[in-house]
Amino acid sequence: MTDHISTAQQEFLALIGAASEAEGKSRISGQIIALLVFEGRALSFGELAVALGVSRGSISTNTRTLEARGVLARVQRSGERQDYFELVDVHSATLLREISQRLDRTGTGIEDICARLSHSGGDSGHGACARLRDYAAFHHIVAKAIATASDEIEGKTAHLRPGDSVE
Amino acid sequence: MTDHISTAQQEFLALIGAASEAEGKSRISGQIIALLVFEGRALSFGELAVALGVSRGSISTNTRTLEARGVLARVQRSGERQDYFELVDVHSATLLREISQRLDRTGTGIEDICARLSHSGGDSGHGACARLRDYAAFHHIVAKAIATASDEIEGKTAHLRPGDSVE
DNA sequence: CGGTTTGTTCAATTCTGACTGAACGGTAGA
DNA sequence: TCTACCGTTCAGTCAGAATTGAACAAACCG
């Protein structure tokens, strides 16, 4: 029976690891999140390294960045010398907010280019500028949509125990 | 004045190229889209290679995948031997729909794992299964939000073409 | 027919960044 | 103090993807 669980766990880790890579993040960082979701409890530094079969150095760097991104928290247990990690309860919403902010940043970056262009170039680049503004607007619209979804999910996950229906 | 435009173009290409890499796509594919947006007209195969400073082989592979993804269209000009490429007018919406579908696929992938787990593993993996379903639901919610944004953007961009036809 | 242009393909190359592993500093207990 | 353990760091390694460039086939023109 633990067999079934562990194969399911392996499949889950592989799936999320691949998804993590597909969106530009490292495989391990995705799998750390996946393992914490699967286990539903705080895991120690050593447990992560063993369960994922990766070096302690990788655990260190990846947990640090995940911590800085506000996805997981490092917790100390009295009497234990190892660090433990647990998911922030709004970790999914945090990831969405991150994406939303990056889109907004790209959008304003486009607008900045457009502003400099129309300021110094007269109206020769007018058509291009209009298209760039549309393209920037697209980024902002998507950012807004994702931010809204983030709020929705945050409202559902905050202070809710896992297993509650989200439908 | 063309100076200003070309520096703005270079900045735009760099920005979108980096954004493209950040989300797991190739730099060149993002820059092809960016160049077509900036120019606002169909560009030839050769123009793309020269303007982006990349090999013809790269243009070939990237335009093919973008074409397959429904982002741009290959058009022939009578009398011209070169292929020309232009953006599909709903190209942004198409990219969003692609992301939405990938999220849905990941979500159902998680649900499949969960189904196999609860079917064969008894109730020992019950807690994990509940958490996995929540995690799958998260993916579906985001997919839905992005799909909605895609529809919104499609509605905004489709009417820009005068005398447009539906499908 | 040859010569030119064009797009595709694929083996080779380059490049990026993830990952490792060992050295290091810090901490707690004996 | 010494020892054992723990997390961090970083130079080195490695894998996979992106990109190149040359070979190739097709279409066109003289």
Side-chain angles (χ1 to χ4, degrees):
Chain A
M1 48 177 167
T2 314
D3 259 6
H4 297 134
I5 295 181
S6 73
T7 59
Q9 190 185 76
Q10 290 305 315
E11 288 172 8
F12 185 55
L13 292 180
L15 182 66
I16 303 302
S20 180
E21 282 183 339
E23 61 190 63
K25 317 279 181 184
S26 79
R27 181 176 50 93
I28 293 183
S29 71
Q31 292 190 334
I32 289 174
I33 298 175
L35 193 57
L36 288 170
V37 167
F38 193 97
E39 291 294 332
R41 61 183 176 94
L43 294 176
S44 73
F45 192 100
E47 279 176 309
L48 288 176
V50 171
L52 298 181
V54 298
S55 73
R56 300 165 62 79
S58 292
I59 297 296
S60 178
T61 24
N62 281 283
T63 51
R64 272 184 148 263
T65 59
L66 287 174
E67 202 182 353
R69 288 165 60 197
V71 177
L72 53 78
R74 188 180 302 248
V75 294
Q76 308 293 340
R77 293 196 172 174
S78 56
E80 294 242 26
R81 291 175 60 180
Q82 272 191 104
D83 290 351
Y84 278 76
F85 300 95
E86 65 185 7
L87 286 176
V88 172
D89 58 350
V90 291
H91 66 98
S92 298
T94 301
L95 289 176
L96 285 188
R97 212 169 294 273
E98 190 177 281
I99 297 173
S100 171
Q101 288 171 355
R102 188 172 57 218
L103 284 168
D104 267 330
R105 218 160 27 233
T106 302
T108 44
I110 297 172
E111 284 164 356
D112 288 349
I113 293 174
C114 190
R116 286 198 295 275
L117 175 59
S118 61
H119 179 265
S120 64
D123 51 18
S124 45
H126 185 265
C129 194
R131 285 187 296 275
L132 261 59
R133 286 199 199 284
D134 278 353
Y135 202 56
F138 159 71
H139 283 79
H140 289 310
I141 289 175
V142 181
K144 176 74 176 156
I146 293 180
T148 303
S150 172
D151 291 341
E152 179 187 352
I153 288 170
E154 186 170 345
K156 279 182 177 157
T157 55
H159 306 302
L160 243 62
R161 303 305 303 165
D164 284 342
S165 170
V166 281
E167 193 171 3
Chain B
M1 49 176 171
T2 315
D3 260 6
H4 297 135
I5 295 180
S6 72
T7 59
Q9 190 185 76
Q10 290 305 315
E11 288 173 7
F12 185 54
L13 291 180
L15 182 65
I16 303 303
S20 179
E21 281 183 340
E23 61 190 63
K25 317 278 182 184
S26 80
R27 181 176 50 93
I28 292 183
S29 72
Q31 292 190 334
I32 289 175
I33 298 175
L35 193 57
L36 288 170
V37 167
F38 193 96
E39 291 293 332
R41 61 184 176 92
L43 294 176
S44 73
F45 192 99
E47 280 177 311
L48 287 176
V50 172
L52 298 181
V54 298
S55 74
R56 300 165 63 78
S58 292
I59 297 296
S60 178
T61 27
N62 280 284
T63 50
R64 274 174 91 74
T65 59
L66 287 173
E67 201 181 354
R69 287 164 61 195
V71 177
L72 51 79
R74 188 180 303 245
V75 296
Q76 309 292 341
R77 291 195 173 175
S78 57
E80 294 241 27
R81 291 173 58 182
Q82 271 190 103
D83 290 353
Y84 278 73
F85 299 95
E86 65 184 8
L87 286 176
V88 172
D89 59 348
V90 292
H91 66 97
S92 297
T94 302
L95 289 176
L96 286 187
R97 212 169 294 273
E98 192 176 278
I99 296 173
S100 172
Q101 287 170 356
R102 189 172 58 216
L103 284 168
D104 267 330
R105 218 159 28 232
T106 303
T108 43
I110 296 172
E111 286 164 351
D112 288 349
I113 293 173
C114 190
R116 286 198 296 275
L117 175 58
S118 60
H119 179 267
S120 64
D123 51 18
S124 43
H126 183 267
C129 194
R131 286 186 296 274
L132 261 59
R133 287 200 198 283
D134 278 353
Y135 201 56
F138 158 72
H139 283 79
H140 289 310
I141 289 175
V142 180
K144 177 73 175 157
I146 292 179
T148 303
S150 173
D151 292 341
E152 179 187 353
I153 287 168
E154 188 170 345
K156 278 188 176 151
T157 55
H159 79 284
L160 292 178
R161 297 281 295 270
D164 56 346
S165 59
V166 186
E167 263 99 350

